[in-house]
Amino acid sequence: MNHVPVMSLIYRLNEQQRSEETVFNWRRDDELVLVYDVDHHLPVSVTPTHRHALAPVHVVYDVTGHVTWWRRGDVVVTYVYDDVSGQLTEWTEADHGDQRQRLVYRYVYDERSHVVSASDVST
């Protein structure tokens, strides 16, 4: 092998005392920063260091670790779960650029937790 590292990682605590991981390429240029929440150790932010490459992703979780809100650029997706079973019952996609809700899916489950109905409700 040529003994050149392809990728490097650095872990640290950031200013908000959250775990942060920085990914470096083989030239040691930072490429990506991932921030994790303190409680569930799940990623809450994925940000490319080169702003023109990709829009950052931000994620919010509920107390059980389900994703409840997700944003990348102008697109926001929200998720709603059943309080009893914890199953996904609805998700909505919206575009902050034009302030419109574009898409809603609703799910109905049977007693065996199988989806019996999935509705696409566009607004």
Side-chain angles (χ1 to χ4, degrees):
M1 296 305 228
N2 61 8
H3 302 287
V4 175
V6 176
M7 179 175 44
S8 302
L9 304 172
I10 292 180
Y11 296 95
R12 68 182 186 95
L13 287 178
N14 66 14
E15 299 82 28
Q16 294 82 28
Q17 296 302 304
R18 289 183 164 176
S19 297
E20 184 175 285
E21 176 181 8
T22 304
V23 179
F24 295 89
N25 66 17
W26 64 276
R27 292 184 305 253
R28 297 190 183 188
D29 300 324
D30 55 335
E31 294 289 334
L32 193 65
V33 177
L34 296 99
V35 177
Y36 299 87
D37 79 339
V38 178
D39 299 326
H40 300 293
H41 305 289
L42 296 169
V44 293
S45 173
V46 178
T47 308
T49 55
H50 306 289
R51 298 288 179 212
H52 61 279
L54 295 170
V57 174
H58 300 282
V59 183
V60 175
Y61 303 90
D62 65 11
V63 295
T64 63
H66 289 120
V67 174
T68 58
W69 185 87
W70 181 93
R71 180 177 185 163
R72 179 170 180 249
D74 287 338
V75 177
V76 174
V77 178
T78 56
Y79 301 92
V80 178
Y81 300 89
D82 179 84
D83 291 336
V84 176
S85 68
Q87 294 173 312
L88 179 66
T89 57
E90 179 179 302
W91 69 270
T92 305
E93 184 177 318
D95 189 326
H96 277 293
D98 60 15
Q99 297 296 317
R100 289 184 320 156
Q101 179 175 307
R102 293 195 315 221
L103 195 44
V104 173
Y105 282 90
R106 290 194 179 102
Y107 300 97
V108 177
Y109 299 88
D110 65 13
E111 63 279 349
R112 295 175 312 223
S113 298
H114 295 115
V115 174
V116 294
S117 173
S119 304
D120 174 4
V121 184
S122 299
T123 56

